[in-house]
Amino acid sequence: MKLISPSILNADFARLSDEIISAEKGGADWVHCDIMDGHFVPNISFGPFIVKTAKKITKLPLDVHLMIENPDLYIEDFIKSGAGILTVHQEAVVHLNRTIMRIKDLGAKAGVSLNPSTPVGTLREIAEFVDLVLIMTVNPGFGGQHFIESSLRKIRETVKLREEMKASFLIEVDGGISSENIKRVSDAGADVFVVGSAIFKSGDIPAKTAELKNIVNSSYV
Ligand code: DX5
Ligand code: ZN
């Protein structure tokens, strides 16, 4: 089964609990938490406290995406706060193998994310160690941006690399995913779909979540 991971960055934080529960009602599989530090990306979002809050609201796995410099400093905090999957950016880490091993030692699933301009080939030596590869389909920093079409080629390349390396990581996509493009992205080979504004700005969170989940799973062979 393919998975939907709604990004709460675009949720109404005054009603965070209702928003997360609504996505869960629609069949959300994970809850995506976007952590931005104002350095690695030109925006600031929230820290471990909100992850801890989300953990109290839902039993779904928290899919925490660190768009921060020096993520090693905060890995433990985020895992203690409830991150089930913790993803770091390849561009923000010097000793990626060490960072990935540390995340796993601390009991979480480990992911690595690539910015749109970072080539898939850079994953080769880490492929067998990660649980998830997050292909950014927008330049990270903001919700509501347009999907970068060349990401489809990049997703296909990631599928190929996974086969070549006999690895088993999930391929997640993040940015600009909507009802209009999710089938194409799914057909290219993505397994997990982060969706922010298309769900939380839709006016009907459960219905939109269910619709997207249905599209990717009915095209799944
Ligand atoms: C972008 C974030 C995304 C974003 C997705 O930097 O990593 O998770 O919130 O939002 P949409 O779906 O609106 O592009
Ligand atoms: Zn994200």
Side-chain angles (χ1 to χ4, degrees), residues 124-187:
R124 186 167 292 273
E125 298 306 326
I126 202 69
E128 65 193 276
F129 302 104
V130 290
D131 300 297
L132 180 123
V133 167
L134 170 51
I135 301 292
M136 289 308 300
T137 48
V138 297
N139 287 296
F142 304 93
Q145 303 183 79
H146 287 296
F147 177 80
I148 298 172
E149 285 295 327
S150 58
S151 308
L152 294 173
R153 184 185 66 225
K154 203 167 167 187
I155 297 161
R156 287 191 287 266
E157 273 179 40
T158 310
V159 172
K160 216 169 133 209
L161 180 105
R162 181 171 62 188
E163 281 165 16
E164 274 170 33
M165 300 307 290
K166 299 189 174 29
S168 56
F169 56 77
L170 292 172
I171 300 174
E172 183 176 49
V173 287
D174 185 1
I177 306 293
S178 67
S179 314
E180 186 276 313
N181 59 27
I182 198 165
K183 184 170 186 319
R184 284 185 286 136
V185 180
S186 178
D187 289 347

Coordinates of all heavy atoms in Angstrom, one line a residue, residues 124-187:
R124 N 24.1 6.6 -3.4 CA 24.6 5.3 -3.6 C 25.2 4.6 -2.4 O 24.8 3.5 -2.0 CB 25.6 5.3 -4.8 CG 26.1 3.9 -5.2 CD 26.9 4.0 -6.5 NE 26.0 4.3 -7.6 CZ 25.3 3.4 -8.3 NH1 25.4 2.2 -8.0 NH2 24.5 3.8 -9.3
E125 N 26.1 5.3 -1.7 CA 26.8 4.7 -0.5 C 25.9 4.7 0.8 O 26.4 4.2 1.8 CB 28.1 5.5 -0.3 CG 29.1 5.4 -1.5 CD 29.3 3.9 -1.9 OE1 29.3 3.0 -1.1 OE2 29.5 3.7 -3.1
I126 N 24.8 5.4 0.7 CA 23.9 5.3 1.9 C 22.7 4.5 1.7 O 22.0 4.2 2.7 CB 23.6 6.8 2.4 CG1 23.2 6.9 3.9 CG2 22.5 7.4 1.5 CD1 24.3 6.6 4.8
A127 N 22.4 4.1 0.5 CA 21.2 3.5 0.1 C 20.8 2.3 1.0 O 19.7 2.1 1.4 CB 21.2 3.0 -1.4
E128 N 21.8 1.4 1.3 CA 21.5 0.2 2.0 C 21.2 0.5 3.5 O 20.7 -0.4 4.2 CB 22.6 -0.8 1.9 CG 23.9 -0.4 2.5 CD 25.1 -1.2 2.1 OE1 25.3 -2.3 2.7 OE2 25.8 -0.8 1.2
F129 N 21.5 1.7 4.0 CA 21.4 2.0 5.4 C 20.1 2.8 5.8 O 19.8 2.9 7.0 CB 22.6 2.8 5.9 CG 23.9 2.1 5.7 CD1 24.8 2.4 4.6 CD2 24.3 1.0 6.5 CE1 26.0 1.8 4.4 CE2 25.5 0.3 6.2 CZ 26.3 0.7 5.2
V130 N 19.5 3.3 4.8 CA 18.3 4.2 5.1 C 17.0 3.5 4.9 O 16.9 2.6 4.1 CB 18.3 5.5 4.3 CG1 19.5 6.4 4.7 CG2 18.4 5.2 2.8
D131 N 16.0 3.9 5.7 CA 14.7 3.4 5.6 C 13.8 4.2 4.6 O 12.8 3.7 4.1 CB 14.0 3.4 7.0 CG 14.7 2.7 8.1 OD1 14.8 1.4 7.9 OD2 15.3 3.3 9.0
L132 N 14.3 5.4 4.4 CA 13.5 6.3 3.5 C 14.3 7.3 2.8 O 15.3 7.8 3.3 CB 12.5 7.0 4.5 CG 11.5 8.0 3.8 CD1 10.1 7.7 4.2 CD2 11.8 9.4 4.3
V133 N 14.0 7.5 1.5 CA 14.6 8.6 0.8 C 13.5 9.6 0.4 O 12.5 9.2 -0.2 CB 15.3 8.1 -0.5 CG1 15.7 9.2 -1.5 CG2 16.5 7.2 -0.2
L134 N 13.8 10.9 0.8 CA 12.8 11.9 0.6 C 13.3 12.8 -0.6 O 14.2 13.5 -0.5 CB 12.6 12.7 1.8 CG 11.7 14.0 1.8 CD1 10.4 13.8 1.1 CD2 11.5 14.6 3.1
I135 N 12.6 12.7 -1.7 CA 12.9 13.5 -2.9 C 12.1 14.8 -2.8 O 10.8 14.7 -2.9 CB 12.5 12.7 -4.2 CG1 13.3 11.4 -4.3 CG2 12.8 13.6 -5.4 CD1 14.8 11.5 -4.5
M136 N 12.8 15.9 -2.6 CA 12.0 17.2 -2.6 C 11.6 17.5 -4.0 O 12.4 17.6 -4.9 CB 12.9 18.3 -2.1 CG 13.3 18.2 -0.6 SD 11.8 18.1 0.5 CE 10.9 19.6 0.1
T137 N 10.3 17.8 -4.1 CA 9.7 18.1 -5.4 C 9.4 19.6 -5.5 O 8.8 20.1 -6.5 CB 8.5 17.3 -5.7 OG1 7.6 17.3 -4.5 CG2 8.9 15.8 -5.9
V138 N 9.8 20.4 -4.5 CA 9.9 21.9 -4.5 C 11.2 22.2 -3.8 O 11.8 21.4 -3.1 CB 8.8 22.6 -3.8 CG1 7.4 22.3 -4.4 CG2 8.7 22.2 -2.3
N139 N 11.7 23.5 -3.9 CA 12.8 23.9 -3.1 C 12.2 24.1 -1.7 O 11.2 24.8 -1.5 CB 13.4 25.2 -3.6 CG 14.2 24.9 -4.9 OD1 15.2 24.2 -4.9 ND2 13.7 25.4 -6.0
P140 N 12.8 23.4 -0.7 CA 12.2 23.4 0.6 C 12.2 24.8 1.3 O 13.0 25.7 1.0 CB 13.1 22.5 1.5 CG 14.4 22.4 0.7 CD 14.1 22.6 -0.7
G141 N 11.2 25.0 2.1 CA 11.1 26.3 2.9 C 9.7 26.8 3.1 O 9.3 27.4 4.0
F142 N 8.8 26.4 2.1 CA 7.4 26.9 2.2 C 6.4 25.9 1.6 O 6.8 25.1 0.7 CB 7.3 28.2 1.3 CG 8.3 29.3 1.7 CD1 9.5 29.4 1.1 CD2 8.0 30.1 2.8 CE1 10.5 30.3 1.5 CE2 8.9 31.1 3.2 CZ 10.1 31.2 2.5
G143 N 5.2 26.0 2.2 CA 4.1 25.2 1.6 C 3.6 25.9 0.4 O 3.9 27.1 0.2
G144 N 2.7 25.3 -0.3 CA 2.0 25.9 -1.4 C 2.8 26.3 -2.7 O 2.3 27.1 -3.4
Q145 N 3.9 25.7 -2.9 CA 4.7 26.0 -4.1 C 4.3 25.0 -5.2 O 3.7 24.0 -5.0 CB 6.2 25.9 -3.8 CG 6.7 26.7 -2.7 CD 8.2 26.6 -2.5 OE1 9.0 27.2 -3.3 NE2 8.6 25.8 -1.6
H146 N 4.8 25.3 -6.4 CA 4.5 24.5 -7.6 C 5.5 23.3 -7.7 O 6.7 23.4 -7.5 CB 4.6 25.3 -8.9 CG 3.4 26.2 -9.1 ND1 2.2 25.7 -9.2 CD2 3.4 27.5 -9.1 CE1 1.3 26.7 -9.3 NE2 2.0 27.8 -9.2
F147 N 4.9 22.1 -8.0 CA 5.7 20.9 -8.2 C 6.7 21.1 -9.4 O 6.3 21.6 -10.4 CB 4.6 19.8 -8.6 CG 5.2 18.5 -8.9 CD1 5.6 17.6 -7.9 CD2 5.3 18.1 -10.2 CE1 6.2 16.4 -8.2 CE2 5.9 16.8 -10.6 CZ 6.3 16.0 -9.6
I148 N 7.9 20.6 -9.1 CA 8.9 20.7 -10.2 C 8.8 19.5 -11.1 O 9.1 18.3 -10.6 CB 10.3 20.9 -9.6 CG1 10.4 22.2 -8.7 CG2 11.4 20.8 -10.6 CD1 11.7 22.3 -7.9
E149 N 8.4 19.6 -12.3 CA 8.1 18.5 -13.2 C 9.3 17.5 -13.4 O 9.1 16.3 -13.5 CB 7.6 19.0 -14.6 CG 6.2 19.5 -14.6 CD 5.1 18.4 -14.2 OE1 5.3 17.3 -14.6 OE2 4.1 18.8 -13.6
S150 N 10.5 18.1 -13.4 CA 11.7 17.2 -13.6 C 11.9 16.2 -12.5 O 12.7 15.3 -12.6 CB 13.0 18.0 -13.9 OG 13.2 18.8 -12.7
S151 N 11.1 16.4 -11.4 CA 11.2 15.4 -10.3 C 10.8 14.1 -10.7 O 11.2 13.1 -10.1 CB 10.3 15.9 -9.1 OG 10.5 17.2 -8.8
L152 N 9.9 14.0 -11.7 CA 9.4 12.6 -12.1 C 10.6 11.8 -12.6 O 10.7 10.6 -12.2 CB 8.4 12.8 -13.2 CG 7.1 13.5 -12.8 CD1 6.2 13.7 -14.1 CD2 6.3 12.6 -11.8
R153 N 11.5 12.4 -13.3 CA 12.7 11.7 -13.8 C 13.5 11.3 -12.6 O 14.1 10.2 -12.6 CB 13.5 12.6 -14.7 CG 14.7 12.0 -15.4 CD 15.5 13.0 -16.2 NE 16.1 14.0 -15.4 CZ 16.0 15.4 -15.6 NH1 15.4 15.8 -16.7 NH2 16.6 16.2 -14.8
K154 N 13.6 12.2 -11.7 CA 14.4 11.9 -10.5 C 13.9 10.7 -9.6 O 14.6 9.9 -9.1 CB 14.5 13.2 -9.6 CG 15.7 13.3 -8.8 CD 15.9 14.7 -8.2 CE 16.9 14.6 -7.1 NZ 17.0 15.9 -6.4
I155 N 12.6 10.7 -9.6 CA 11.9 9.6 -8.8 C 12.3 8.2 -9.5 O 12.6 7.3 -8.9 CB 10.4 9.8 -8.7 CG1 10.1 11.0 -7.9 CG2 9.7 8.5 -8.1 CD1 8.7 11.6 -8.1
R156 N 12.1 8.3 -10.9 CA 12.4 7.0 -11.6 C 13.9 6.6 -11.4 O 14.2 5.4 -11.3 CB 12.1 7.2 -13.1 CG 10.6 7.2 -13.4 CD 10.3 7.2 -14.9 NE 10.6 8.4 -15.6 CZ 9.7 9.4 -15.8 NH1 8.4 9.3 -15.5 NH2 10.1 10.5 -16.4
E157 N 14.8 7.6 -11.4 CA 16.2 7.3 -11.2 C 16.4 6.7 -9.8 O 17.3 5.8 -9.6 CB 17.1 8.5 -11.2 CG 17.5 8.9 -12.6 CD 18.3 10.2 -12.6 OE1 19.1 10.4 -11.7 OE2 18.1 11.0 -13.5
T158 N 15.6 7.2 -8.8 CA 15.8 6.6 -7.4 C 15.3 5.2 -7.4 O 15.9 4.4 -6.7 CB 15.0 7.5 -6.5 OG1 15.4 8.9 -6.7 CG2 15.3 7.2 -5.0
V159 N 14.2 4.9 -8.1 CA 13.7 3.5 -8.2 C 14.8 2.6 -8.7 O 15.1 1.5 -8.2 CB 12.4 3.4 -9.0 CG1 12.0 2.0 -9.3 CG2 11.3 4.2 -8.4
K160 N 15.5 3.1 -9.8 CA 16.5 2.3 -10.5 C 17.7 2.1 -9.5 O 18.2 1.0 -9.4 CB 17.0 3.1 -11.7 CG 17.3 2.2 -12.9 CD 17.5 3.0 -14.1 CE 18.8 2.6 -14.8 NZ 19.4 3.6 -15.6
L161 N 18.1 3.1 -8.8 CA 19.2 3.0 -7.9 C 18.9 2.0 -6.8 O 19.7 1.2 -6.3 CB 19.6 4.4 -7.3 CG 20.7 4.3 -6.3 CD1 22.0 4.9 -6.9 CD2 20.4 5.1 -5.0
R162 N 17.6 2.0 -6.3 CA 17.2 1.1 -5.2 C 17.3 -0.3 -5.7 O 17.8 -1.2 -5.0 CB 15.7 1.4 -4.8 CG 15.2 0.5 -3.7 CD 13.9 1.0 -3.2 NE 12.8 1.0 -4.3 CZ 11.6 1.4 -4.1 NH1 11.3 2.0 -3.0 NH2 10.7 1.4 -5.1
E163 N 17.0 -0.6 -7.0 CA 17.1 -1.9 -7.5 C 18.6 -2.3 -7.7 O 18.9 -3.4 -7.2 CB 16.4 -2.0 -8.9 CG 14.9 -2.1 -8.9 CD 14.3 -1.8 -10.3 OE1 15.0 -1.8 -11.3 OE2 13.1 -1.5 -10.2
E164 N 19.3 -1.4 -8.2 CA 20.8 -1.7 -8.4 C 21.5 -2.0 -7.1 O 22.3 -2.9 -7.1 CB 21.5 -0.5 -9.0 CG 21.4 -0.4 -10.5 CD 21.9 1.0 -11.0 OE1 22.8 1.6 -10.3 OE2 21.3 1.5 -12.0
M165 N 21.1 -1.3 -6.1 CA 21.8 -1.5 -4.8 C 21.1 -2.5 -3.9 O 21.5 -2.7 -2.8 CB 21.9 -0.1 -4.0 CG 22.6 1.0 -4.7 SD 24.3 0.5 -5.3 CE 25.1 0.4 -3.7
K166 N 20.1 -3.1 -4.5 CA 19.3 -4.1 -3.7 C 18.9 -3.6 -2.3 O 18.9 -4.2 -1.3 CB 20.0 -5.4 -3.6 CG 20.3 -6.1 -4.9 CD 20.9 -7.5 -4.7 CE 21.1 -8.2 -6.0 NZ 21.4 -7.5 -7.2
A167 N 18.5 -2.3 -2.3 CA 18.1 -1.6 -1.1 C 16.6 -1.7 -1.0 O 15.8 -2.1 -1.9 CB 18.5 -0.2 -1.1
S168 N 16.0 -1.3 0.2 CA 14.6 -1.5 0.4 C 13.9 -0.2 1.0 O 12.8 -0.3 1.5 CB 14.4 -2.6 1.4 OG 15.1 -2.4 2.6
F169 N 14.6 0.9 0.9 CA 14.0 2.2 1.4 C 12.7 2.6 0.7 O 12.5 2.2 -0.5 CB 15.1 3.3 1.3 CG 15.6 3.6 -0.1 CD1 14.9 4.3 -1.0 CD2 16.9 3.1 -0.4 CE1 15.4 4.5 -2.3 CE2 17.4 3.4 -1.7 CZ 16.7 4.1 -2.6
L170 N 11.9 3.3 1.4 CA 10.7 3.8 0.8 C 11.1 5.1 0.1 O 12.0 5.9 0.6 CB 9.6 4.1 1.8 CG 9.0 2.9 2.5 CD1 8.1 3.4 3.7 CD2 8.2 2.1 1.5
I171 N 10.4 5.4 -1.0 CA 10.6 6.7 -1.7 C 9.5 7.7 -1.4 O 8.3 7.4 -1.7 CB 10.7 6.5 -3.2 CG1 11.9 5.6 -3.5 CG2 10.9 7.9 -3.9 CD1 12.0 5.2 -5.0
E172 N 9.8 8.8 -0.7 CA 8.8 9.8 -0.3 C 9.0 11.0 -1.2 O 10.1 11.4 -1.5 CB 9.0 10.1 1.2 CG 7.9 11.1 1.7 CD 8.1 11.3 3.2 OE1 9.2 11.5 3.7 OE2 7.1 11.2 4.0
V173 N 7.9 11.7 -1.5 CA 8.0 12.9 -2.2 C 7.3 14.0 -1.4 O 6.4 13.8 -0.6 CB 7.3 12.8 -3.6 CG1 8.1 12.0 -4.6 CG2 5.9 12.2 -3.5
D174 N 7.8 15.3 -1.6 CA 7.3 16.3 -0.8 C 7.4 17.7 -1.5 O 8.4 18.1 -1.9 CB 8.2 16.4 0.5 CG 7.8 17.4 1.5 OD1 6.8 18.1 1.3 OD2 8.5 17.5 2.5
G175 N 6.2 18.3 -1.7 CA 6.1 19.6 -2.3 C 5.3 19.7 -3.5 O 5.5 19.0 -4.5
G176 N 4.2 20.4 -3.4 CA 3.3 20.7 -4.6 C 2.5 19.5 -5.1 O 2.1 19.4 -6.2
I177 N 2.3 18.5 -4.2 CA 1.6 17.3 -4.6 C 0.1 17.6 -4.5 O -0.4 18.2 -3.5 CB 1.9 16.1 -3.7 CG1 3.4 15.8 -3.7 CG2 1.1 14.9 -4.1 CD1 4.0 15.3 -5.0
S178 N -0.7 17.3 -5.5 CA -2.1 17.6 -5.5 C -2.9 16.5 -6.3 O -2.3 15.6 -6.9 CB -2.4 18.9 -6.2 OG -2.0 18.7 -7.6
S179 N -4.2 16.6 -6.3 CA -5.0 15.6 -7.1 C -4.6 15.6 -8.5 O -4.8 14.6 -9.2 CB -6.5 16.0 -7.0 OG -6.9 16.3 -5.7
E180 N -4.2 16.8 -9.0 CA -3.8 16.9 -10.4 C -2.6 16.1 -10.8 O -2.5 15.5 -11.9 CB -3.6 18.4 -10.7 CG -3.4 18.8 -12.2 CD -2.0 18.7 -12.6 OE1 -1.1 19.1 -11.9 OE2 -1.8 18.0 -13.7
N181 N -1.6 16.0 -9.9 CA -0.3 15.4 -10.3 C 0.0 14.1 -9.6 O 0.9 13.4 -9.9 CB 0.9 16.3 -10.2 CG 1.0 16.9 -8.8 OD1 0.7 16.2 -7.8 ND2 1.6 18.0 -8.7
I182 N -0.8 13.7 -8.5 CA -0.4 12.6 -7.7 C -0.3 11.3 -8.4 O 0.5 10.4 -8.1 CB -1.2 12.5 -6.4 CG1 -0.5 11.7 -5.3 CG2 -2.7 12.0 -6.7 CD1 -1.1 11.9 -3.9
K183 N -1.1 11.1 -9.4 CA -1.1 9.8 -10.1 C 0.2 9.7 -10.9 O 0.8 8.6 -10.9 CB -2.3 9.7 -11.1 CG -2.3 8.3 -11.7 CD -3.6 8.0 -12.5 CE -3.6 6.5 -13.0 NZ -2.3 6.0 -13.6
R184 N 0.6 10.8 -11.6 CA 1.9 10.7 -12.3 C 3.1 10.5 -11.4 O 4.0 9.7 -11.7 CB 2.1 12.1 -13.0 CG 1.2 12.3 -14.3 CD 1.5 13.6 -15.0 NE 1.0 14.7 -14.3 CZ 1.7 15.8 -14.1 NH1 2.9 16.0 -14.6 NH2 1.2 16.9 -13.5
V185 N 3.0 11.1 -10.2 CA 4.1 10.9 -9.3 C 4.1 9.5 -8.7 O 5.2 8.9 -8.6 CB 4.0 11.9 -8.1 CG1 5.1 11.8 -7.1 CG2 3.9 13.4 -8.6
S186 N 3.0 8.9 -8.5 CA 2.8 7.6 -8.1 C 3.3 6.6 -9.2 O 4.1 5.7 -8.9 CB 1.4 7.3 -7.8 OG 1.2 6.0 -7.4
D187 N 2.9 6.9 -10.4 CA 3.4 6.0 -11.5 C 4.9 6.0 -11.7 O 5.5 5.1 -12.1 CB 2.7 6.4 -12.8 CG 1.2 6.0 -12.8 OD1 0.8 5.3 -11.9 OD2 0.4 6.6 -13.7

